[in-house]
Amino acid sequence: LSLSSGSPAIAASLIPPELCGSTANTKKAQGVTPAGQCGTWVKEPSGGCFTSPNYPEKYPPERECIYIIEASPRQCIDLFFDEKYSIEPSWECRFDHIEIRDGPFGFSPIIGRYCGQESPAYVRSSGRYLYIKFVADGELEAIGFSARYNFTQDPEFEGIGELSALPACDFELSGPEGFVESTQIAKEGKAQLTEAVDCRWYIRAPPRAKIYMRFLEYEMHNSNECKRNFVAVYDGSSGVEHLKNKFCSTVANDVMLVTSVGVVRLWADEGSRKSRFKILFTTFHEPPCEGDTFFCHSNMCINHTLVCNGVQNCVYPWDENRCKEKRKASILDTLDNTNLTIIGITCGLVVILLIISVIIQIKQPRKKYVIRRDDFDPALLHPGFDPPHYELCTLRRAPSGDLTDAALADDFDKFHKLRRSESKCIRDHHCGSHQGSIHGSRSNLSLRDATIALATQMSPHLSHHNTPACRRSILVMKHSYSQDGAEAYRAEDEEDDLMMDVGPTTSQHHHHHIHHKLSSVLNTTLLMAQMT
């Protein structure tokens, strides 16, 4: 029977009022909790009715009753309350009240909460389920309520037409573990791929045992459309009042049942037959574990045959840990004593060779290496060049004869020319050349020779004024810069070494020092000439 939502009065008149008030006509109260303590419930293919406890007498105190109405696929529920209605009034119905929700659970969207003397208005569900809860506290009881409901076609499926008869699709499972798979429908020929299905898998555990379900695969063809496809889990029976979880989105969680009977239900219409799932169920007892059961560390004692079977039966994989015989054999597992001995000897030889090589390296004489400073700047070096040849003067002992005035005048003339040009020659070689300042030059050596020569010649003249003096001449010699010569005289030239530490102005000071020495040589020569 299909009724439209526009005729609530007709729907309400289809069920006689005396039917719900008569206990003789009460059928199995499936859908009410607790059963037998929450009034009467009459069910018909097209609808039914239910009442509060003791209706039309006062309901008892401290009572909570839950009524869950389930319609067939592609149907919804119309709910009406009789006018003979009275529930203890309160602010926001905080005490005695009726709560109606649009769905099968206590957390489904709430439609309304009602109390007082005025009966609630007509209520329609959006889907196949309505959740009604009646609560009575310990004071001020009233007569309660009587409600009627009927099933009507869901407006969302008006254009599709009526649903054809569903094929029988039930399965029975038992044992310490097992699998619930949607593929069993096609394997066992329960339904064609073009037919809608409403299949149920009944899982029966041993007495006092419980059931743990874990989803291995889950995919709904029309996700988030619970009217077209869903997977539901029941705890105790397939009645709607025992509905534990319903999944129709993209995720399905594990389910722990508290009874020894579990039911898995798949609803999928013609356009949702690609929905699939696979559930592993495991039966268990609560601790303490007895006999040869295995403790899962999660209040579960499972059969010992489930340990190391390649399947996780516990909530956490305690049953599959430390299962060496079940894992794939590795290279280490294939090694025997002979192979291990060969590997050990080889490793020992390698270690011995390494030790010998280290000892040899330690015993070998170490080579000295010049360490280059990282902060050395090659730009500080002056470009290498060959210094020009220049002329210096020196005093040599003449091989013969006395010094004549003409020869002396000629030598002095050459000496003055040399003095005028020495500034340029020595500056070109020494100015700006730090290397020349450090190692010295032949000019210093020549001046030192001249000084030594004068010192040796002055002694005879001072002691023998009346004897003929040896002939002395000022000879102009050409000297080339020689690094080897500078190194030979480095130990003797202490004055030049001291001048090296002066700093950036060493070349200038060196030039003035040479000039001073030349002046001293000139004065000494003039004095000697006068004495002769």
Side-chain angles (χ1 to χ4, degrees):
L1 178 63
S2 175
L3 301 175
S4 64
S5 60
S7 56
I10 298 175
S13 62
L14 293 176
I15 302 176
E18 63 273 11
L19 185 61
C20 288
S22 174
T23 58
N25 296 327
T26 301
K27 297 185 179 180
K28 183 178 180 181
Q30 184 179 2
V32 61
T33 304
Q37 301 180 20
C38 293
T40 60
W41 189 316
V42 178
K43 289 188 175 182
E44 298 292 341
S46 59
C49 67
F50 59 94
T51 65
S52 60
N54 297 335
Y55 184 84
E57 303 296 330
K58 291 184 178 181
Y59 51 80
E62 303 292 342
R63 189 62 57 89
E64 180 177 300
C65 298
I66 298 176
Y67 311 86
I68 303 176
I69 306 173
E70 180 183 10
S72 300
R74 297 182 182 176
Q75 289 185 339
C76 56
I77 304 167
D78 293 328
L79 179 65
F80 312 90
F81 287 89
D82 290 345
E83 294 181 358
K84 192 176 183 180
Y85 169 94
S86 179
I87 297 177
E88 176 192 359
S90 62
W91 173 253
E92 295 183 350
C93 299
R94 293 180 179 270
F95 304 115
D96 298 357
H97 62 269
I98 297 175
E99 182 180 279
I100 304 176
R101 292 182 177 271
D102 190 11
F105 303 107
F107 54 82
S108 298
I110 188 170
I111 296 176
R113 177 178 289 188
Y114 310 96
C115 62
Q117 304 301 320
E118 184 177 355
S119 61
Y122 155 74
V123 176
R124 163 167 280 192
S125 67
S126 62
R128 297 175 57 180
Y129 300 95
L130 272 181
Y131 177 93
I132 302 101
K133 181 171 71 173
F134 170 69
V135 177
D137 60 9
E139 299 177 356
L140 299 177
E141 294 79 18
I143 63 173
F145 67 92
S146 175
R148 297 178 176 85
Y149 63 91
N150 59 272
F151 306 123
T152 61
Q153 185 178 3
D154 192 331
E156 293 186 16
F157 299 95
E158 288 183 356
I160 298 179
E162 294 184 0
L163 184 65
S164 57
L166 298 176
C169 187
D170 294 339
F171 302 89
E172 293 286 341
L173 301 173
S174 61
E177 72 167 356
F179 294 94
V180 179
E181 300 183 70
S182 57
T183 56
Q184 295 174 347
I185 301 173
K187 288 180 180 179
E188 300 188 15
K190 296 291 185 178
Q192 301 295 325
L193 293 177
T194 57
E195 293 181 307
V197 294
D198 190 2
C199 297
R200 291 175 172 85
W201 287 261
Y202 294 89
I203 304 169
R204 305 188 188 278
R208 297 183 296 105
K210 298 181 180 180
I211 302 173
Y212 167 63
M213 297 185 183
R214 184 162 63 92
F215 279 84
L216 304 179
E217 297 178 6
Y218 171 81
E219 182 181 359
M220 293 291 101
H221 182 67
N222 293 292
S223 181
N224 295 317
E225 296 188 32
C226 297
K227 295 180 180 180
R228 303 193 62 183
N229 50 190
F230 66 79
V231 175
V233 179
Y234 297 81
D235 190 2
S237 71
S238 59
V240 64
E241 66 274 13
H242 294 148
L243 181 61
K244 183 79 172 181
N245 293 93
K246 188 175 74 168
F247 306 103
C248 58
S249 60
T250 58
V251 179
N253 301 322
D254 298 352
V255 181
M256 189 77 71
L257 305 182
V258 297
T259 67
S260 59
V261 177
V263 181
V264 179
R265 181 181 181 184
L266 171 65
W267 159 250
D269 62 11
E270 301 93 330
S272 305
R273 285 301 307 276
K274 291 183 180 180
S275 300
R276 61 183 180 87
F277 71 92
K278 182 178 182 179
I279 299 175
L280 168 68
F281 74 86
T282 303
T283 61
F284 67 94
H285 291 84
E286 291 184 346
C289 300
E290 299 176 356
D292 56 354
T293 57
F294 177 81
F295 180 53
C296 280
H297 297 274
S298 54
N299 293 328
M300 293 176 61
C301 299
I302 63 175
N303 193 294
H304 71 282
T305 60
L306 305 180
V307 179
C308 294
N309 63 345
V311 179
Q312 178 184 333
N313 295 97
C314 299
V315 177
Y316 302 102
W318 299 106
D319 55 323
E320 298 303 317
N321 290 341
R322 301 178 182 177
C323 297
K324 181 178 180 180
E325 66 278 3
K326 295 298 181 181
R327 64 181 177 86
K328 293 182 179 180
S330 62
I331 298 177
L332 296 178
D333 296 331
T334 59
L335 296 178
D336 54 9
N337 294 332
T338 304
N339 295 331
L340 293 176
T341 303
I342 294 173
I343 293 174
I345 295 174
T346 304
C347 293
L349 292 175
V350 171
V351 172
I352 293 172
L353 292 176
L354 289 175
I355 294 173
I356 294 173
S357 64
V358 171
I359 294 173
I360 292 174
Q361 291 293 329
I362 294 174
K363 295 297 183 180
Q364 278 185 342
R366 296 180 176 272
K367 296 181 179 180
K368 294 183 179 180
Y369 297 94
V370 178
I371 300 176
R372 295 186 60 187
R373 294 181 57 184
D374 295 335
D375 57 349
F376 178 73
D377 188 2
L380 297 177
L381 291 177
H382 295 284
F385 61 90
D386 293 331
H389 297 285
Y390 53 88
E391 296 177 348
L392 295 177
C393 65
T394 183
L395 296 176
R396 297 289 181 91
R397 184 181 299 271
S400 64
D402 295 330
L403 184 64
T404 62
D405 294 337
L408 181 63
D410 184 57
D411 290 341
F412 276 122
D413 183 63
K414 293 180 180 180
F415 177 75
H416 283 293
K417 292 181 181 180
L418 175 63
R419 184 177 181 182
R420 286 192 298 269
S421 62
E422 59 87 21
S423 176
K424 179 179 184 301
C425 296
I426 295 177
R427 180 176 298 276
D428 290 341
H429 176 59
H430 290 283
C431 293
S433 175
H434 186 65
Q435 184 70 21
S437 300
I438 293 176
H439 297 292
S441 66
R442 293 294 295 176
S443 63
N444 293 340
L445 302 178
S446 300
L447 290 174
R448 182 165 44 247
D449 292 341
T451 305
I452 295 172
L454 288 174
T456 56
Q457 294 171 7
M458 285 176 65
S459 298
H461 288 289
L462 292 174
S463 59
H464 304 284
H465 295 285
N466 299 323
T467 61
C470 297
R471 187 176 183 272
R472 297 172 176 81
S473 64
I474 300 176
L475 302 178
V476 178
M477 306 296 293
K478 288 187 177 181
H479 297 273
S480 296
Y481 180 85
S482 173
Q483 182 69 25
D484 297 333
E487 292 292 338
Y489 286 93
R490 184 179 299 164
E492 300 176 4
D493 196 1
E494 295 180 357
E495 289 185 7
D496 293 340
D497 290 339
L498 293 175
M499 292 175 63
M500 176 184 67
D501 298 331
V502 173
T505 60
T506 303
S507 298
Q508 297 178 5
H509 293 170
H510 186 64
H511 170 68
H512 291 300
H513 185 64
I514 294 173
H515 183 73
H516 179 70
K517 284 186 176 182
L518 291 176
S519 299
S520 300
V521 171
L522 178 60
N523 295 331
T524 304
T525 306
L526 293 176
L527 180 61
M528 291 172 59
Q530 292 176 1
M531 292 176 65
T532 56

